[in-house]
Amino acid sequence: MSRNPEIIIVAGAQWGDEGKGKIVDLLAEEADVVFKANGGRNAGHSVKNEHGSFALHLTPAGIFYPGKDNVVGNNVVYSLRAGMEEIRDLEARGVPTDRLFISSRAHLVLDYHEREDILLEKLRGEGKIGTTATGNGPAYSDKANRIGIRSDMLEDPSEFMDELNRILKLKSDLYFSNKPTPPEFQAEFYEGLIKEASEFLGPRVIDLYQYNDEQLRKGARILIEGSHGALLDIDGGTYPMVTSSSCNIYGLLSGAGLPSVHVDRAIGVFKPYQTRVGAGPMPTELLDDNSERIREQAHEYGTTTGRPRRVGWFDGTAARQSQLMNGFREIVIPLGDALTGINVKVSTGYLLDGKVINNFPSRMSRLASCQPVLSTEEFYWTENFRGATSWEDLPQGAQRLYRKIANLVDSRVTYIGTGPSRDENIKLDFDIREMY
Ligand code: IMP
């Protein structure tokens, strides 16, 4: 073996949409293999480069670098239609996809999952989650219920059809016992799709454990890109208003089918404020003018759904929960430049039943009753530092904010993003916590 393998994991540390795309893009340049390890087409990140503007949902961000492998891991739920469309769009715009592989153990999302997602949300009524309606929840529940269909079926379309027949018969009995079955719940509906997908995607299907073994033996540099964010994690997040996968560092590692011994860097991405799409409590949510200002200054609209994101102050208690789940050894903070001219606040605890608490309540109704305790420190500046590349270029109010966040998360900050371009970054080679 020529050198030791290296694994870097980048995870969203809030409710998704933390701006992971840019750091992933930077790190992808140095990687041999880039993984998408969880989620499905509900996740999305925007990439702008010489080929144009892209909203990637199912394809790892390393696809834009020639010669790198891009792998869809075990814990991804892969939409057959959306996956093929994304690959075709990339190819049509001059991005080669010949090194894009899909784990044989990744589950597939079909039209009936989307129907179930929409139906379930309707039935939830007031308690609806605000899902992305992309069939993710139903695909993960089929996986856990052992009635999922995995990518390995793409190797044999006739076995795929048999399996689909069996599963859809079961679903029809469950949902439509005496009623007509909608076409999406009949196997024939998928005949053409399965044939096409088997030809188009079948050759990309790999045995992930075998593949990883070869890469680790070669000393590959592996980058795992997380989808969503820790507070949407099925276990440690704001259940039931969460997504259906494991979004923390350890879930991502497992989703990529990799052993933990080679992990070098576990990086969390935090915005210096936070956003949420869909329903569920967010104790620091802003309902005043600041919300609209931040949304506009930072372009906080969903990549997948275009929905305006809910905006709130940085929440130290939620950040601590995220750190407890992930054990980040370094964090990255993009988007601070978007807060110029805003009198920024940071929450350091919650007020619940007249007491200040520091823990993140597991019961949703308790979390919804929490009021933020806002720090009295001043985090305000008027000089726009967009494009700054050194710590000294930052206004003092911004420096205070970054230090505050580093201390609340209790982690080193290694990058501060100062704009969307690749070179708009401050790389920190000292620990800003030590400056207190
Ligand atoms: P689902 O993942 O479509 O089932 O949606 C569950 C919850 O997670 C909803 O509140 C969604 O808005 C949220 N969600 C899912 N994916 C993302 C993401 O990538 N960014 C932000 N929120 C997400």
Side-chain angles (χ1 to χ4, degrees), residues 186 200 214 236 321 354 368 415:
Q186 297 173 28
F200 189 75
E214 283 160 23
Q321 168 73 2
Y415 276 96

Side-chain angles (χ1 to χ4, degrees), residues 111-335:
D111 305 46
Y112 57 89
H113 292 117
E114 291 179 18
R115 284 288 297 258
E116 287 178 280
D117 200 352
I118 294 163
L119 190 66
L120 201 58
E121 276 286 85
K122 218 159 135 195
L123 293 174
R124 282 187 185 115
E126 291 277 290
K128 75 171 188 218
I129 297 173
T131 71
T132 55
T134 51
N136 267 60
Y140 279 112
S141 60
D142 279 5
K143 173 177 173 173
N145 262 335
R146 287 134 308 163
I147 49 168
I149 295 200
R150 307 200 298 186
S151 307
D152 49 11
M153 284 295 158
L154 291 168
E155 291 161 1
D156 185 340
S158 88
E159 194 179 334
F160 193 143
M161 276 305 284
D162 291 347
E163 192 58 8
L164 192 61
N165 245 314
R166 188 183 70 80
I167 290 165
L168 289 183
K169 165 89 181 54
L170 204 145
K171 283 191 186 257
S172 297
D173 288 350
L174 194 65
Y175 296 139
F176 314 104
S177 49
N178 292 316
K179 296 187 219 115
T181 308
E184 291 88 343
F185 288 81
Q186 297 173 28
E188 306 79 67
F189 182 81
Y190 299 95
E191 231 167 68
L193 176 70
I194 290 170
K195 195 165 167 294
E196 182 192 349
S198 297
E199 281 166 20
F200 189 75
L201 297 174
R204 298 176 189 271
V205 174
I206 54 167
D207 183 321
L208 190 57
Y209 295 104
Q210 196 65 35
Y211 171 88
N212 284 345
D213 184 47
E214 283 160 23
Q215 294 299 326
L216 293 171
R217 282 175 196 280
K218 274 199 294 196
R221 287 161 303 187
I222 299 173
L223 173 66
I224 307 175
E225 170 194 347
S227 297
H228 322 300
L231 301 173
L232 289 171
D233 182 89
I234 183 95
D235 295 306
T238 49
Y239 191 89
M241 301 309 204
V242 291
T243 192
S244 305
S245 66
S246 229
C247 314
N248 61 63
I249 293 284
Y250 304 95
L252 295 173
L253 195 62
S254 149
L258 284 160
S260 61
V261 287
H262 306 294
V263 176
D264 278 274
R265 296 171 69 187
I267 307 174
V269 186
F270 284 92
K271 288 192 277 211
Y273 54 93
Q274 54 194 35
T275 57
R276 183 164 194 172
V277 279
M282 174 161 71
T284 62
E285 182 161 15
L286 282 164
L287 300 167
D288 59 12
D289 293 352
N290 283 321
S291 151
E292 194 53 31
R293 278 189 75 185
I294 298 174
R295 187 177 302 119
E296 289 313 309
Q297 290 184 202
H299 310 292
E300 290 293 358
Y301 293 90
T303 318
T304 305
T305 57
R307 290 183 284 184
R309 296 177 183 143
R310 297 158 61 196
V311 177
W313 295 132
F314 185 88
D315 180 339
T317 316
R320 180 169 171 269
Q321 168 73 2
S322 184
Q323 176 60 317
L324 295 179
M325 259 190 266
N326 286 289
F328 297 126
R329 280 172 269 155
E330 50 180 302
I331 64 170
V332 169
I333 312 178
L335 284 156

